[in-house]
Amino acid sequence: MKQVTETPRILVVDDDMDLLMLLERRLLKEGFEVESAASLREAEEYIQLFKPHLLVLDVNVAGEDGRKLSAKLKIEGASTKIVVISGYDYSAARAALFGADELVPKPINTDYLIFVINKHLYGEQAAGIAYRWAITEGKTPN
């Protein structure tokens, strides 16, 4: 697994503006560079310009199928990690079929999402250590 050695760039794609702003603020607080998009067209533009290390992508974005963008990126050989967020009941195996590296169910526990992001950017061991530290410091919900 290639680990990120610069400030990680994350693109968040969702048409729920409240969730988009919440995730953007939380990710900025965690030290990531963040851009957000409310449509798949806008997301594709940001992918070309911003070159994110990781994409947080909703399955349903303004009536469009986020799974198609995920699959397209993987088919094109993009190294961008893709974390799909969804209110639908998908298994991890099914999410992998459309190119997702991981699936995070809605409603989103932002602490868990940060763990998943760190796992894909820095490796499972580093993410686990950070998550355990956060739990001992009372930074995550029970």
Side-chain angles (χ1 to χ4, degrees), residues 22-72:
L22 170 81
L23 293 178
E24 188 171 341
R25 280 193 309 267
R26 177 64 194 273
L27 293 169
L28 285 168
K29 184 179 174 186
E30 294 291 326
F32 300 113
E33 285 184 47
V34 182
E35 288 292 345
S36 57
S39 72
L40 295 183
R41 182 172 164 239
E42 188 179 11
E44 289 190 81
E45 291 173 12
Y46 273 117
I47 288 166
Q48 296 301 315
L49 298 171
F50 185 57
K51 304 208 181 310
H53 296 103
L54 187 136
L55 184 65
V56 176
L57 175 64
D58 191 9
V59 166
N60 184 1
V61 182
E64 295 181 272
D65 192 344
R67 297 172 298 181
K68 290 181 181 178
L69 176 59
S70 178
K72 177 184 173 187

Side-chain angles (χ1 to χ4, degrees), residues 1 6 15 20 22 28 30 44 56 58 61 80 84 86 89 93-94 103 105 107 109-111 124 126 129 131:
M1 172 183 187
E6 58 190 287
D15 59 344
L20 204 58
L22 170 81
L28 285 168
E30 294 291 326
E44 289 190 81
V56 176
D58 191 9
V61 182
T80 304
V84 169
S86 177
D89 187 20
R94 186 166 177 207
L103 175 71
N109 175 320
T110 55
D111 294 308
E124 197 159 339
I129 291 167
Y131 192 68

Side-chain angles (χ1 to χ4, degrees), residues 121-142:
L121 294 174
Y122 302 115
E124 197 159 339
Q125 184 176 6
I129 291 167
Y131 192 68
R132 284 191 298 281
W133 173 85
I135 289 170
T136 61
E137 294 296 312
K139 308 252 188 244
T140 61
N142 293 333

